[in-house]
Amino acid sequence: MARLVTLLLLPLSWLYAGIMGVRNWLYDAGLLTAARFPVPLISVGNLRVGGTGKTPHVAWVVRQLLQLEAEPAILSRGYGRRTRGYRLVQPTDTAITVGDEPLQHFQDFSGTVPVAVSEDRRVGLLHLLTNQQPSVIVLDDAYQHRRVQPALSILLTEHQRPFYTDEVLPAGRLRENRAGASRADVVVVTKCPEQLPPSEQQAMQQQIGRYTRAGVPVLFSGYSYGAPVAVGQQPTPASAEVILLTGIAQPEPLRTYLTSAGYQVAHHAVFADHHAFTPAEIKAVCAQLRPGQSIFTTQKDAMRLAQPALRQVLAGVPVFYIPIEVRFLADGASRLRAFLVSSFQPQAVV
């Protein structure tokens, strides 16, 4: 049935892909202009809608930049926020005012790295450069935003759902044709198992290489999961029995990790990516709790659970998020770090 639906939607996908293709051609031909800025712009994005791990990879890039003694800032669209225009994230902001991912970045770096949101990236960049004066700006989820020209473009694709097996919306989940991978300077295959056979890596490199420019490296990354971090008052989970609450595109890797780590997931409350939880929904999740059980969630979901109305529902409930960090296979970290170093070439404003 799913295959039949895909076939029926393919004509709409071809139409959408054609529109995006014309747009990309106009930029490639110089008929539409991509603005350049006087500091390096590093774009982290994907071809597929959601679930490739942009947030932890942006955080990894920023940490590397800080180690290189750069002064980075992060610019995001602020998906899911209920505000408009440019906004510099402040301690009083919430997921409603800036979006869950920018809020997570702000908290991850304890406010020491400027994080801003703007649906118009040119406007956002000008504000950041004028008022914050960073030495490099990381663009979160800007791969299709052709109005600005990055110094380094990092394309992410998920190990279990690589872009070369997918179709353009609405038949698939791609935002543009697979040929869009030709703009990437580096491709990172994300959410890989720790032991990914070299033969499989080589096969994926060959498939990806059909769409990228010659010589573009393909790196492989996975996740390292940390100990549960308390959202409420209880310092540690009382037992290994948990209720899992997720509103992300791909929750399966987290559930797989929890099982392998010895936790028993008694119930999994699954919501759509960036879902705006309601008090009634959280009350329903809490109703599933049995004595000794805790609610586990993701750090991104925890940003949305911090709304006052939801905090009231969760008062006294043991809630924890599982932090994640990116780990690269083989020499992937050093290779990507070398690209970051080489991107520090100031560009003239156009």
Side-chain angles (χ1 to χ4, degrees):
M1 182 63 182
R3 181 60 180 169
L4 176 60
V5 172
T6 298
L7 291 173
L8 291 174
L9 291 174
L10 275 176
L12 292 176
S13 294
W14 296 333
L15 175 62
Y16 180 72
I19 294 171
M20 291 297 294
V22 170
R23 175 179 178 269
N24 284 327
W25 178 83
L26 291 172
Y27 277 106
D28 294 339
L31 298 177
L32 292 178
T33 303
R36 297 177 182 270
F37 290 82
V39 301
L41 307 180
I42 299 174
S43 170
V44 181
N46 55 16
L47 294 180
R48 195 173 186 273
V49 176
T52 56
K54 290 186 300 296
T55 302
H57 282 80
V58 166
W60 186 92
V61 168
V62 171
R63 290 190 185 97
Q64 298 302 308
L65 293 170
L66 290 170
Q67 291 177 16
L68 293 169
E69 299 185 348
E71 297 178 355
I74 302 172
L75 179 61
S76 171
R77 171 187 167 192
Y79 184 84
R81 65 184 174 125
R82 298 179 188 175
T83 58
R84 299 283 297 173
Y86 175 82
R87 191 180 184 100
L88 184 69
V89 182
Q90 302 292 332
T92 53
D93 275 309
T94 67
I96 288 178
T97 58
V98 296
D100 49 17
E101 292 166 349
L103 185 62
Q104 180 176 331
H105 288 312
F106 182 81
Q107 294 189 6
D108 275 346
F109 295 101
S110 303
T112 60
V113 173
V115 180
V117 295
S118 179
E119 59 272 23
D120 187 323
R121 304 300 170 92
R122 287 187 182 181
V123 169
L125 287 167
L126 289 172
H127 274 286
L128 275 174
L129 289 171
T130 301
N131 301 309
Q132 306 302 316
Q133 300 179 341
S135 63
V136 56
I137 298 176
V138 181
L139 303 175
D140 184 1
D141 196 15
Y143 196 79
Q144 283 75 35
H145 199 87
R146 301 293 307 271
R147 296 183 68 231
V148 298
Q149 179 63 49
L152 176 66
S153 189
I154 303 170
L155 175 64
L156 308 180
T157 189
E158 194 181 1
H159 171 255
Q160 291 296 324
R161 300 169 180 81
F163 71 84
Y164 55 79
T165 65
D166 208 344
E167 302 291 342
V168 175
L169 291 165
R173 299 286 287 172
L174 296 185
R175 298 170 172 177
E176 59 176 302
N177 191 283
R178 302 171 189 175
S182 64
R183 300 194 304 277
D185 299 304
V186 182
V187 178
V188 180
V189 181
T190 67
K191 303 184 183 179
C192 296
E194 189 171 353
Q195 301 297 329
L196 185 63
S199 58
E200 185 175 347
Q201 293 185 39
Q202 184 177 12
M204 295 193 76
Q205 288 170 341
Q206 290 176 347
Q207 289 285 354
I208 291 169
R210 296 171 54 196
Y211 302 97
T212 60
R213 305 188 310 275
V216 168
V218 178
L219 311 179
F220 297 85
S221 73
Y223 286 157
S224 293
Y225 293 88
V229 176
V231 175
Q233 299 297 319
Q234 187 168 322
T236 58
S239 74
E241 292 188 12
V242 302
I243 300 294
L244 183 58
L245 168 63
T246 59
I248 58 174
Q250 302 295 339
E252 293 88 356
L254 174 58
R255 180 160 184 168
T256 299
Y257 160 73
L258 292 175
T259 301
S260 67
Y263 292 99
Q264 291 92 50
V265 179
H267 174 69
H268 186 181
V270 182
F271 294 89
D273 195 18
H274 298 283
H275 179 75
F277 300 118
T278 67
E281 290 168 342
I282 300 306
K283 285 180 182 177
V285 173
C286 292
Q288 298 285 337
L289 280 171
R290 298 294 177 262
Q293 294 180 346
S294 304
I295 294 177
F296 277 16
T297 191
T298 70
Q299 187 175 0
K300 186 168 77 169
D301 289 317
M303 299 299 104
R304 280 172 280 125
L305 291 174
Q307 300 300 323
L310 302 182
R311 284 205 308 267
Q312 184 175 358
V313 174
L314 291 169
V317 176
V319 182
F320 303 84
Y321 72 78
I322 306 298
I324 59 174
E325 287 189 2
V326 169
R327 55 162 180 79
F328 280 89
L329 279 61
D331 62 347
S334 60
R335 293 175 69 187
L336 185 52
R337 184 183 174 96
F339 271 91
L340 296 178
V341 172
S342 65
S343 70
F344 292 164
Q345 299 296 326
Q347 304 174 59
V349 176
V350 175

